[in-house]
Amino acid sequence: MPSGRVHEAINLTVLGALALLGLEMQGPAFWEDPRLLPFALGYLGGTFLLSPDLDLAEKGVRASRRWGVLGLLWRPYGWLFRHRGLSHTWVLGPLTRLGYLAFLLALLYGLLQGVSLLLGASWTLALPPWPEEALWAALFGYYLSQWLHLIADGIFPDHDLKRLRRPR
């Protein structure tokens, strides 16, 4: 199986090829597409921060080291999912990492709300509105980065179906 560096090199090569293809097809207008930045952020986030290898609970794994000290927060994720198990599936795997990240952010939000109540302060979280197409572009970029990782690991879309059809 490829190392983390190889996975990253594959993903960055494909991203560069996609950029060249888009530039060739659309010309300079390609850089003005409002979906480009969300796609690239989703893709790079999926490549470097939300790698399928976060299911390795061991200390010092490249996928969790990218988070620095916060990499410790991904240890329970590794305990929940065995390596190349559910977390290495085509649809649910990336969804488990997004769900786990949402859970961590909700915990942080709750903690900050609790501290602000103790201090007698109040605040609200105001997120800027995102166009729906930007969210879809970011999600597609994220999933594409995950799928490239799985293909490099030799896991193809029909992987789970083959396992289900196999007699026990």
Side-chain angles (χ1 to χ4, degrees), residues 38-96:
F39 171 83
L41 291 176
Y43 188 92
L44 293 171
T47 298
F48 293 109
L49 294 175
L50 296 175
S51 163
D53 289 338
L54 282 169
D55 61 7
L56 291 166
E58 303 143 16
K59 183 180 176 186
V61 172
R62 184 176 186 84
S64 62
R65 275 197 330 250
R66 292 223 178 266
W67 286 86
V69 177
L70 297 178
L72 291 173
L73 296 174
W74 286 95
R75 293 286 257 324
Y77 179 84
W79 297 331
L80 286 171
F81 301 101
R82 67 179 176 84
H83 188 52
R84 295 206 177 94
L86 179 65
S87 65
H88 273 65
T89 58
W90 278 68
V91 177
L92 291 178
L95 200 56
T96 62

Side-chain angles (χ1 to χ4, degrees), residues 104-162:
L104 291 177
L105 292 174
L107 281 178
L108 176 64
Y109 180 76
L111 179 69
L112 291 175
Q113 285 286 25
V115 168
S116 69
L117 286 175
L118 287 174
L119 296 175
S122 67
W123 64 280
T124 58
L125 180 64
L127 296 173
W130 276 57
E132 188 176 330
E133 66 180 13
L135 291 174
W136 284 113
L139 190 63
F140 179 66
Y142 168 69
Y143 263 89
L144 182 60
S145 73
Q146 304 296 294
W147 294 338
L148 289 171
H149 183 108
L150 295 177
I151 290 170
D153 279 348
I155 300 171
F156 294 93
D158 64 346
H159 177 73
D160 297 328
L161 297 174
K162 287 180 184 176

Side-chain angles (χ1 to χ4, degrees), residues 1-17:
M1 295 297 139
S3 69
R5 288 178 196 228
V6 171
H7 281 297
E8 292 165 4
I10 291 168
N11 280 19
L12 290 176
T13 301
V14 169
L15 183 61

